């Protein structure tokens, strides 16, 4: 086994694929399984166009919010109906692409799916199977720079989800309300912990001492930012659990556990 650096001062020329002896393949494998399972579930649900609204308690799953299709139950459409009702168009198709792009361009998810799906590289100090590496300098990966704009869109969508969760309390309090509320708290924590949010809050100033409010906000966001990976996974879980609970109620599989009303 030889190990030298190439003449151009680039990568070390190591004949073995990796010198690592630990189970480096486990995190990318788990990420692959987790992300693939979530994407399959979310795609099926987004196109199902059914079991997304519980009229009795005003529960709307985040996968169908805001419900803009003319096919939506009118009471579930808090912001109007103008999209055609066709099978290939999810009812929330105006906002779902932004949420998808927000997560696809997220710094953490990039790391996760570059490793788990593209093996580029699969782990630290493990050679990738690709011959060429151009980083994020070319289309389409150049588009990762748009993350900041998708952050703004995601913040607006989190506001809409919060509005849905608050509206549901008009009918009393049940387990569904608590699940919807916990989901929006998790969504806000993930959104605020975004790296772009951190630079928006703390960037473009030369002196924190002259901007105490922004400094405090930046400290707060930075603390959340350290947990960004955990929050990314937590929100995938809360979104799926919230959607599944609403679906189970709407389909009549279970009844809501009521606390008040
Ligand atoms: Fe992950 Fe912005 S870096 S959401």
């Amino acid at each position: 086994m030889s190990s030298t650096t190439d003449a151009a001062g680039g990568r070390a020329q190591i004949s073995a694929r990796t010198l690592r002896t630990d189970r480096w393949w486990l995190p990318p494998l788990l990420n692959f399984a987790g992300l693939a399972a979530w994407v399959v579930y979310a795609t099926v649900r987004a196109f199902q166009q059914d079991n997304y609204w519980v009229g009795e308690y005003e529960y709307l799953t985040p996968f169908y919010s805001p419900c803009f299709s003319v096919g939506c139950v009118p009471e579930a459409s808090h912001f109007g109906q103008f999209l055609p009702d066709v099978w290939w168009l999810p009812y929330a198709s105006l906002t779902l692409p932004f949420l998808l792009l927000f997560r696809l361009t997220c710094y953490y998810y990039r790391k996760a799916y570059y490793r788990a799906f593209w093996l580029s590289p699969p782990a630290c100090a493990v050679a990738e199977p690709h011959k060429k590496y151009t980083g994020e300098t070319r289309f389409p990966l150049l588009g990762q720079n748009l993350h900041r704009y998708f952050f703004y869109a995601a913040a607006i969508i989190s506001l809409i989800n919060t509005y849905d969760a608050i509206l549901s309390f008009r009918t009393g309090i049940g387990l569904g309300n608590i699940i919807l509320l916990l989901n929006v708290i998790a969504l806000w924590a993930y959104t605020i912990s975004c790296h772009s949010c951190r630079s928006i809050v703390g960037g473009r100033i030369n002196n924190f001492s002259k901007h105490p409010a922004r400094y405090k906000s930046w400290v707060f966001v930075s603390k959340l930012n350290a947990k960004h990976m955990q929050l990314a996974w937590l929100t995938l879980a809360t979104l799926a659990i919230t959607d599944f609970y609403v679906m189970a109620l709407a389909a009549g599989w279970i009844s809501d556990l009521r606390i008040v009303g």
Side-chain angles (χ1 to χ4, degrees):
M1 188 177 307
S2 65
S3 170
T4 57
T5 303
D6 69 20
R11 296 180 174 191
Q13 300 298 303
I14 300 172
S15 52
R17 187 160 175 234
T18 182
L19 303 180
R20 285 181 68 167
T21 53
D22 60 338
R23 291 193 296 171
W24 57 264
W25 44 267
L26 191 58
L29 185 66
L30 292 177
N31 284 344
F32 177 85
L35 291 174
W38 198 91
V39 167
V40 169
Y41 174 81
T43 306
V44 169
R45 280 293 288 145
F47 284 94
Q48 198 175 31
Q49 301 181 342
D50 200 7
N51 296 331
Y52 56 88
W53 168 250
V54 182
E56 196 180 352
Y57 305 126
E58 300 195 32
Y59 296 156
L60 176 64
T61 165
F63 288 13
Y64 283 72
S65 172
C67 212
F68 280 140
S69 168
V70 294
C72 297
V73 175
E75 297 76 35
S77 294
H78 302 135
F79 302 94
Q81 299 182 323
F82 46 84
L83 291 177
D85 183 13
V86 281
W87 68 266
W88 47 266
L89 203 60
Y91 283 179
S93 52
L94 214 61
T95 48
L96 289 182
F98 290 103
L99 288 180
L100 180 68
L101 288 166
F102 180 52
R103 300 235 172 196
L104 265 182
T105 57
C106 162
Y107 293 23
Y108 165 67
Y109 285 117
R110 270 144 78 177
K111 172 188 160 189
Y113 70 80
Y114 285 167
R115 290 183 175 194
F117 288 81
W118 292 353
L119 311 175
S120 179
C124 282
V126 179
E128 58 198 289
H130 312 282
K131 290 213 172 66
K132 253 177 46 186
Y133 176 78
T134 53
E136 293 174 332
T137 57
R138 307 206 177 148
F139 181 82
L141 295 187
L142 200 55
Q144 305 283 26
N145 287 318
L146 297 173
H147 182 64
R148 164 178 294 228
Y149 303 103
F150 299 133
F151 160 76
Y152 292 125
I156 293 169
I157 297 165
S158 290
L159 274 177
I160 294 171
N161 292 152
T162 307
Y163 180 72
D164 293 338
I166 292 170
L167 274 193
S168 71
F169 280 93
R170 293 193 297 193
T171 61
I173 302 175
L175 181 57
N177 300 92
I178 294 168
I179 290 175
L180 285 171
L181 188 65
L182 289 177
N183 178 54
V184 291
I185 291 172
L187 286 180
W188 276 117
Y190 169 69
T191 309
I192 290 172
S193 73
C194 167
H195 292 69
S196 291
C197 176
R198 185 167 175 262
S199 38
I200 291 164
V201 170
R204 288 179 170 270
I205 47 178
N206 291 329
N207 200 331
F208 267 139
S209 63
K210 293 203 177 107
H211 303 273
R214 284 187 66 182
Y215 177 67
K216 271 196 181 150
S217 314
W218 179 79
V219 168
F220 176 70
V221 170
S222 298
K223 280 188 187 147
L224 277 179
N225 180 258
K227 302 267 178 239
H228 194 57
M229 177 183 79
Q230 290 87 337
L231 290 168
W233 282 102
L234 177 74
T235 47
L236 289 189
T238 61
L239 279 166
I241 290 168
T242 307
D243 177 74
F244 190 83
Y245 189 76
V246 171
M247 174 172 68
L249 286 179
W253 302 338
I254 54 169
S255 9
D256 193 26
L257 189 69
R258 301 303 291 172
I259 301 160
V260 178

